Amino acid sequence: MSERLEDIARAMVAPGKGILAADESSGTIKKRFDKINLTSTEDARRDYREMLFRSTDAMKNYVSGVILYDETIRQKAKDGKPLVDIMKAAGSIPGIKVDTGAKPLAGPTAKIETVTEGLDGLRERLADYYKLGARFAKWRAVITIADGCPTWNCVKANAHALARYAALCQEAGIVPIVEPEVLMDGEHSRHDIDECARVTEWTLRAVFRELYDARVNLEGMVLKPNMVIAGQKCAKQASAQDVAERTIKVLKATVPSSVPGIAFLSGGQSDEAATEHLSLMNAIGNLPWALTFSYGRALQAAALQAWGGKPENVAAGQRAFTHRAKMNSLAALGKWTAKLEKAA
Ligand code: 13P
């Protein structure tokens, strides 16, 4: 495959393909395993992810790349083959989470707001990850809607860090996934779709300003934003069509058309809602960028349940994963329907 940033970025958002976010940190994957009463050991994490990456049909046809965690990019399958080689054999590009997490942002909003860390030593870590096979990376910034939040201080600090990260990635020959996530799970009662639209637009404007200042090549990156959606605790929920239209409106106002693709996070939406929203957006059509998925929970929840940590359920887990990947592939083409969902 071509090693040019622009070609890798385009391959990541190729028609009908999207990204599997399997980069849960050890703390997060433990929380997921707790739900199926499974102890999070190194072997259990390997078995689970090996099951996903050996879902050949899904990996070949619907998944363009996988975001890995540091442990996984170095891990070997049960038969001794590096997991990275297994996904590469299926035609899927290995990626790596490189931020070291969202930490309290010092100041008056430290109990609510965070800034994502991980810039120190990043140049050296990227060189190491490149040798291990990574051709794209991810950095997640978190923006919280609450009384008086987000503050400009938080938006600015996170946008700046994203730009410094993206520039370092491109220097290393790695495509940056730029992920500014406006959370949908806030407590704020006025967190309706209008508020999400306002904060998402503000955040994306700040991010693209910083990317410009850092001379990031927009053709060699992928944006990973939230959808424009009401907060989970808001009484006033928007329709799926509203979510699609409002999201496109904000993206058109803020994302230059030189960006090849936008791969959404699922952010706590149900599996089916995340798929439906993506499909409705693509059905609108006439968009300057590819719109696809980079889901974690919405691609994995069903597979994790079906597997349940039991070797005899590997095939069932793979079936569940392949189904979700296929539904999201259809959504990336604007062709998903509830009928197709049920038919399977
Ligand atoms: P979710 O789709 O579960 O939000 O995860 C995507 C992701 O990579 C968050 O950084």
Side-chain angles (χ1 to χ4, degrees), residues 61 68 137 178 206 231 279 297 299:
N61 299 310
L68 302 166
V178 173
S279 196
R297 283 162 284 180
L299 262 179

Side-chain angles (χ1 to χ4, degrees), residues 21 23 138 140 179 181 224 265-268 294-297:
D23 60 320
K138 174 189 119 171
R140 172 175 175 258
E179 180 180 6
E181 174 174 7
K224 176 163 173 166
L265 58 95
S266 60
S294 174
Y295 296 161
R297 283 162 284 180

Side-chain angles (χ1 to χ4, degrees), residues 8 11 24 30 46 50 68 97 136 141 201 205 211 213 219 229 262 267 284 294 306 314:
I8 299 166
E24 298 84 3
K30 182 184 175 306
R46 191 259 336 265
E50 183 174 349
L68 302 166
K97 182 223 296 288
F136 70 91
E201 177 167 356
R205 261 183 211 294
L211 291 171
D213 288 347
E219 293 173 18
I229 194 167
I262 298 174
I284 291 172
S294 174
V314 164

